[in-house]
Amino acid sequence: MIDVRRGADRYEGGDAPAGITTRHAFSFGSFYDPDNLRFGPVLACNEETLAPGAGFDEHPHSHTEIVTWVAEGELTHQDSTGEKGLAGPGDVQRLSAGAGVRHAERNDGARRLRFVQLWLAPLAAGGTPSYELVRGLADGTPYALPAAGAVLHVRRPGAGERVAVPAAGRVYLHVVRGDLRLDGEELGPGDSVRITAERGLEVTAGSPGELLILELP
């Protein structure tokens, strides 16, 4: 099954006066849809835009794998374990909340920050919080998320190039940029696809693109 969700239909959130714009793909905060709570272990896929100086003050998380992909600008991270990080375009940031952690995320740069943040449920609750920052993840290099039983693939196809979709039980695909095509569907920035039990699918790029592909159990 191929379930296309359009970026224009995302739930609007954030705090515009504070310089924060958020677009939610799943039920989140005050936006509740009982038919759109999760897809496998994926609990959230948030598109975040932060103006210079804006950010999320320290707040708690638990029993969640939080994966962040920066599209533009720089994201400053700090958490209660003492970890700090500065993630830029092409960097992957992972925070395993474990039994509980507090963190803050800010745009301390001079230009806007735009990033995609994915929340996944771990296979087992609890554990010790941990943080990792991978700089410059190369195109096609898989990034394993073993705590959630998932693998992240970041692909940046050129115009006319094709990208194979992993033959997994579930696949979640998010378009960061570009004009893409999947199984006859035209996809643009902000669009996502929830794929279940499909084989032999390919994404074709009409223009240079960037997409996140989560291979899920």
Side-chain angles (χ1 to χ4, degrees):
M1 186 174 75
I2 300 175
D3 180 7
V4 177
R5 304 291 180 110
R6 299 300 178 185
D9 295 329
R10 285 173 171 260
Y11 306 110
E12 295 185 8
D15 184 350
I20 301 171
T21 302
T22 305
R23 303 279 288 176
H24 304 292
F26 296 86
S27 292
F28 199 96
S30 60
F31 299 97
Y32 179 73
D33 178 352
D35 296 322
N36 190 24
L37 298 178
R38 63 190 293 169
F39 178 66
V42 182
L43 305 172
C45 177
N46 299 335
E47 292 184 320
E48 306 280 5
T49 303
L50 274 61
F56 301 99
D57 293 332
E58 189 175 83
H59 57 280
H61 288 283
S62 62
H63 316 303
T64 311
E65 298 293 300
I66 302 172
V67 181
T68 305
W69 175 259
V70 176
E72 62 178 286
E74 290 184 326
L75 173 66
T76 300
H77 164 92
Q78 185 170 351
D79 64 50
S80 55
T81 71
E83 293 283 0
K84 298 180 181 179
L86 184 64
D91 297 342
V92 173
Q93 176 181 277
R94 175 193 54 80
L95 176 64
S96 295
V101 69
R102 299 181 65 85
H103 79 144
E105 297 169 303
R106 300 197 57 79
N107 178 8
D108 291 330
R111 59 192 183 98
R112 79 168 186 170
L113 164 65
R114 188 167 65 88
F115 62 94
V116 179
Q117 191 166 89
L118 300 153
W119 294 15
L120 292 86
L123 297 173
T128 302
S130 63
Y131 173 81
E132 182 177 44
L133 176 60
V134 177
R135 299 195 180 280
L137 187 71
D139 177 56
T141 300
Y143 179 68
L145 300 162
V151 179
L152 173 66
H153 305 265
V154 180
R155 302 305 309 268
R156 305 179 187 90
E161 292 184 353
R162 297 183 177 184
V163 172
V165 176
R170 295 186 185 94
V171 175
Y172 185 81
L173 187 152
H174 174 85
V175 181
V176 179
R177 56 172 60 92
D179 299 310
L180 310 173
R181 184 180 302 108
L182 172 67
D183 197 43
E185 292 280 356
E186 300 290 335
L187 305 174
D191 290 348
S192 63
V193 188
R194 306 175 193 190
I195 303 169
T196 306
E198 294 282 349
R199 300 289 185 271
L201 293 177
E202 288 185 328
V203 175
T204 303
S207 63
E210 185 172 84
L211 64 156
L212 309 179
I213 303 174
L214 271 176
E215 187 175 351
L216 305 168

